[in-house]
Amino acid sequence: MHRTYHALDTKEVGVIRGRDAIYMDEYIYSSHSRKLTLKGEFNYSLFNGQEPEEGEELIPFVWTFHNVLHVESTELDFYNQERLIEASFGLIQPSARLEAMRQESNAKLSEEHRHFVIATYDEIIEVIASMDYTLLIP
């Protein structure tokens, strides 16, 4: 199956592009709640093409994915699909992994699940979760 990457346009900050766009400080996966939470900073200057004001270079974020069924983190230098990534946040469609999960007919998997890719400065994180992620800019 040929993997195709599609950039996603977030309502909070638009399309996130560039290797330096996301700096992740930590991610926490809760198997009890099936949530993945990423905390870090966005590089403001890569979002709007304007020079940020003093102190606005990095914008903190808390990003939570819900109903997580799969999460995988790979150091950037070892991610063999890097050439496919056109933005720092997107979807893999079609997803061989998601289709294999659908073949299992597990009740935990819904039509709302998607195969997300988050490309940070150092890591590539692949997540299969429901479409209703939460992105907070405190």
Side-chain angles (χ1 to χ4, degrees):
M1 179 180 291
H2 183 308
R3 290 168 51 131
T4 304
Y5 185 87
H6 304 277
L8 286 177
D9 189 0
T10 68
K11 65 183 176 204
E12 296 81 5
V13 293
V15 175
I16 305 169
R17 295 190 189 280
R19 179 169 184 235
D20 296 345
I22 302 174
Y23 293 101
M24 183 177 61
D25 296 328
E26 67 179 356
Y27 64 91
I28 302 163
Y29 173 68
S30 169
S31 60
H32 178 71
S33 63
R34 306 214 63 78
K35 290 183 182 178
L36 175 70
T37 301
L38 291 79
K39 295 179 180 179
E41 296 86 29
F42 289 130
N43 186 338
Y44 179 82
S45 63
L46 294 176
F47 285 55
N48 63 9
Q50 300 174 4
E51 285 297 315
E53 292 184 26
E54 184 71 29
E56 288 188 343
E57 293 86 5
L58 298 176
I59 303 169
F61 69 82
V62 177
W63 206 344
T64 305
F65 291 85
H66 308 277
N67 300 312
V68 174
L69 300 179
H70 173 85
V71 62
E72 181 178 331
S73 177
T74 306
E75 205 280 340
L76 181 67
D77 293 338
F78 295 96
Y79 189 72
N80 62 3
Q81 301 295 322
E82 183 179 3
R83 60 180 162 51
L84 297 176
I85 296 175
E86 63 184 62
S88 298
F89 179 53
L91 291 174
I92 293 177
Q93 289 179 317
S95 164
R97 181 170 289 135
L98 192 53
E99 289 307 312
M101 292 170 80
R102 285 197 192 339
Q103 296 295 322
E104 297 293 322
S105 300
N106 191 308
K108 293 179 184 175
L109 183 66
S110 75
E111 290 300 316
E112 295 295 314
H113 280 87
R114 299 291 184 271
H115 189 163
F116 297 98
V117 176
I118 304 106
T120 74
Y121 182 77
D122 295 314
E123 302 279 329
I124 303 290
I125 300 169
E126 293 193 33
V127 181
I128 293 180
S130 61
M131 203 56 194
D132 64 340
Y133 64 84
T134 305
L135 178 55
L136 299 175
I137 312 284

